[in-house]
């Protein structure tokens, strides 16, 4: 008998019909003799609706109260799914995050899970029930309801799988796995049978929306066997997230291409080239809790240099506001900036043992006349910043030049 955690996303529980359908799937797993813990999201669109509702009442909603509002979305689906299971003859019990006691820190709207008390769940499972847990929510030490950030139900699923030492955590969603690129951009994109944990981590942070990045981090830390599957197909093995060292086969050089338009670029021109300048620029940015992604500094000329970096678009205006007095203070010439950029990235653990990936990519982009504004690389990734209007073209060109439409031999 295996213990499995299944997480169903908002579209999968988006209507009473779909909830009944999920119940049928769960009944099927249980009939195989497995113990099943189910984590659900709010019904599709519900979290957005609740945020909008809160903002109608308070333009800048109080985070504690916003979490109380947001947590209701998942509270509805756990009970409806438990009812649907009962209708299928499957005993089931619903739990909010606080009822389980998914203990989090107190960072409302982006809380982190600290500990999970799995005793109640175990007792129900041993008594033969399916346990249905609300995703995306927890409770802090003082008893306040917290939420885990958008997409946080994935993290609830993985965290429960870790706490219960489940055999597998299955994330059921509206796509049937992780693809070599977004199939809406590249119709030839292929589903990956496996992707390594490190690749998934990069893909999630670079714009692939399949899994919340924290859930991947959790899976890595606690070595949870994680699989992404479609909740609309009855067959299919989805994509398994593997641990590289467990695999003997050779990895493909590139697993996938990701893109995002979440960032904005800021360049400070004519910065004095002396120790401490990077800190003087980025210190105040960090103090304002603004995350910096890429950073590029040129070789100095005549004691001056240019300094560029990217921030999330949501932080763009604030970053510019902070930087103007900094510019004056350090006597830099000017600030150039723009938010019409995209970041396109190639990810693959195989890059470690293959040279020339970056140059192949740069040639392919050049042949299409796409100018590269910034580059950053790591052991398993090459990212370029380009004009936003070339995003799709760049993704297609890179997918093609690395033959990602063909299954590796
Ligand atoms: N309902 C939450 C959201 O829409 C959490 C989730 O679905 O994972 O972000
Ligand atoms: Mg999701």
């Amino acid at each position: 008998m295996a213990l499995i955690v299944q997480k169903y996303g908002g579209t999968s529980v988006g209507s009473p019909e779909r909830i009944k359908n999920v119940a049928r799937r769960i009944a099927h797993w249980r009939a195989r003799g497995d113990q099943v813990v189910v984590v659900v999201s709010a019904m599709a669109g519900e979290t957005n609706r609740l945020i909008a509702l809160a903002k109608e009442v308070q333009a800048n909603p109080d985070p504690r109260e916003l979490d109380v509002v947001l947590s209701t979305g998942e509270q509805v689906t756990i009970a409806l799914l438990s009812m649907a299971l009962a209708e299928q003859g499957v005993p089931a019990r619903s739990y909010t995050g606080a009822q389980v006691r998914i203990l989090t820190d107190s960072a409302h709207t982006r809380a982190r899970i600290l500990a999970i008390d799995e005793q109640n769940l175990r007792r129900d499972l041993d008594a033969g029930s399916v346990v249905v847990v609300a995703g995306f929510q927890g409770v802090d030490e003082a008893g306040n309801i917290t939420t885990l950030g958008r997409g946080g139900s994935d993290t609830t699923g993985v965290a429960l799988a870790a706490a219960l030492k489940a055999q597998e955590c299955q994330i059921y969603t509206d796509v049937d796995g992780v693809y070599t690129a977004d199939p809406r951009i590249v119709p030839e994109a292929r589903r990956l049978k496996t992707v390594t944990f490190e690749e998934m981590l990069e893909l999630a942070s670079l714009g692939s929306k399949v899994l919340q990045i924290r859930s991947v981090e959790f899976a890595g830390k606690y070595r949870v066997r994680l699989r992404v599957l479609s909740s609309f197909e009855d067959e299919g093995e989805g994509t398994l997230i593997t641990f590289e060292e467990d695999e003997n086969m050779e990895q493909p050089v590139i697993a996938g291409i990701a893109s995002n338009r979440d960032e904005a670029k800021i360049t400070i021109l004519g910065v004095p080239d002396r120790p401490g300048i990077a800190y003087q620029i980025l210190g105040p940015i960090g103090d304002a809790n603004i995350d910096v992604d890429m950073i590029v500094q040129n070789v100095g000329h005549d004691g001056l240099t240019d300094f560029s970096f990217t921030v999330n678009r949501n932080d763009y205006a604030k970053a510019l506001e902070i930087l103007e007095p900094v510019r004056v203070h350090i006597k830099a010439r000017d600030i150039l900036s723009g938010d019409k950029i995209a970041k396109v990235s190639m990810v693959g653990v195989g890059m470690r043992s293959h040279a020339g990936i970056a140059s192949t990519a740069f040639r392919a982009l050049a042949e299409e006349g796409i100018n590269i504004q910034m580059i950053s690389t790591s052991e398993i990734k090459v990212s370029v910043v380009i004009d936003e209007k070339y995003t799709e073209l760049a993704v297609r060109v890179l997918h093609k030049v690395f033959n990602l439409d063909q299954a590796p031999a």
Side-chain angles (χ1 to χ4, degrees):
M1 185 175 59
L3 196 165
I4 296 167
V5 175
Q6 300 189 329
K7 179 258 169 177
Y8 291 90
T11 30
S12 313
V13 293
S15 68
E17 257 335 296
R18 288 188 173 173
I19 289 174
K20 289 179 196 172
N21 196 37
V22 165
R24 278 190 283 274
R25 287 174 163 264
I26 296 166
H28 172 80
W29 280 88
R30 199 169 154 277
R32 295 185 5 167
D34 294 332
Q35 290 187 327
V36 189
V37 173
V38 185
V39 173
V40 282
S41 291
M43 294 170 85
E46 179 64 6
T47 306
N48 288 340
R49 189 187 74 83
L50 292 170
I51 291 172
L53 187 62
K55 285 186 174 165
E56 269 185 55
V57 176
Q58 190 176 32
N60 207 348
D62 177 89
R64 180 184 184 275
E65 304 312 328
L66 183 60
D67 275 351
V68 176
V69 173
L70 291 187
S71 65
T72 62
E74 275 74 9
Q75 187 165 338
V76 169
T77 45
I78 51 171
L80 292 178
L81 181 57
S82 300
M83 294 174 194
L85 282 163
E87 290 295 300
Q88 296 278 322
V90 176
R93 272 164 69 88
S94 68
Y95 282 88
T96 65
Q99 284 176 318
V100 174
R101 199 140 195 268
I102 297 179
L103 181 70
T104 71
D105 62 20
S106 304
H108 284 292
T109 73
R110 53 192 163 84
R112 278 183 185 270
I113 296 176
L114 301 176
I116 291 179
D117 180 357
E118 85 288 357
Q119 273 183 42
N120 292 331
L121 308 188
R122 281 242 191 256
R123 194 197 51 228
D124 287 348
L125 289 169
D126 290 342
S129 286
V130 167
V131 174
V132 184
V133 179
F136 174 58
Q137 56 178 265
V139 64
D140 74 0
E141 196 68 64
N144 299 299
I145 292 174
T146 56
T147 64
L148 310 180
R150 297 309 303 269
S153 297
D154 294 341
T155 300
T156 305
V158 176
L160 280 171
L164 292 161
K165 299 186 178 57
Q167 175 174 305
E168 187 165 295
C169 180
Q170 303 171 339
I171 307 278
Y172 287 89
T173 173
D174 47 358
V175 293
D176 65 348
V178 179
Y179 276 71
T180 50
D182 184 337
R184 285 166 303 186
I185 299 178
V186 187
E188 304 80 36
R190 277 183 311 109
R191 177 175 57 80
L192 296 163
K193 283 206 171 78
T194 65
V195 62
T196 71
F197 154 71
E198 283 175 289
E199 288 166 338
M200 195 61 234
L201 204 55
E202 288 283 6
L203 289 169
S205 76
L206 293 169
S208 157
K209 301 269 186 306
V210 180
L211 289 171
Q212 195 202 33
I213 184 156
R214 278 190 189 170
S215 72
V216 185
E217 288 168 357
F218 232 103
K221 189 162 170 200
Y222 296 99
R223 303 224 130 222
V224 174
R225 192 180 158 91
L226 184 60
R227 192 188 290 275
V228 177
L229 301 134
S230 163
S231 61
F232 300 114
E233 280 172 23
D234 281 328
E235 303 295 321
E237 59 194 42
T239 300
L240 179 68
I241 288 110
T242 59
F243 295 93
E244 207 180 330
E245 47 293 11
D246 297 347
E247 293 210 3
N248 303 320
M249 3 173 214
E250 202 183 327
Q251 299 288 343
V253 179
I254 293 186
I257 315 280
S259 64
N260 77 56
R261 302 163 199 244
D262 304 338
E263 293 182 24
K265 189 179 85 163
I266 299 175
T267 299
I268 309 182
L269 296 169
V271 173
D273 194 9
R274 60 162 194 261
I277 279 293
Y279 174 65
Q280 273 181 291
I281 294 170
L282 296 181
I285 295 285
D287 292 343
N289 252 323
I290 297 175
D291 282 336
V292 171
D293 181 27
M294 287 191 193
I295 304 174
V296 174
Q297 187 187 324
N298 280 336
V299 177
H301 276 284
D302 310 322
L304 295 178
T305 185
D306 297 338
F307 190 93
S308 300
F309 60 97
T310 62
V311 297
N312 193 288
R313 273 191 206 179
N314 298 330
D315 296 324
Y316 177 47
K318 191 161 151 210
L320 287 177
E321 213 172 278
I322 292 170
L323 283 174
E324 183 48 28
V326 172
R327 181 194 71 77
V328 172
H329 180 71
I330 63 175
K331 302 196 173 59
R333 178 153 43 89
D334 201 1
I335 297 180
L336 286 181
S337 66
D339 63 354
K340 298 277 174 290
I341 58 162
K343 183 166 74 170
V344 177
S345 311
M346 294 145 268
V347 173
V349 293
M351 282 187 205
R352 286 198 188 112
S353 47
H354 284 79
I357 298 299
S359 62
T360 303
F362 300 159
R363 176 168 33 85
L365 294 171
E367 278 168 9
E368 294 295 334
I370 300 174
N371 185 40
I372 301 171
Q373 302 176 12
M374 291 171 99
I375 300 169
S376 83
T377 62
S378 79
E379 230 191 344
I380 66 162
K381 163 198 92 171
V382 176
S383 295
V384 295
V385 166
I386 59 170
D387 189 325
E388 178 177 6
K389 67 175 183 246
Y390 297 125
T391 313
E392 280 87 1
L393 179 61
V395 173
R396 279 190 214 114
V397 163
L398 295 173
H399 198 268
K400 180 113 214 257
V401 75
F402 292 111
N403 297 319
L404 296 187
D405 53 336
Q406 284 152 40

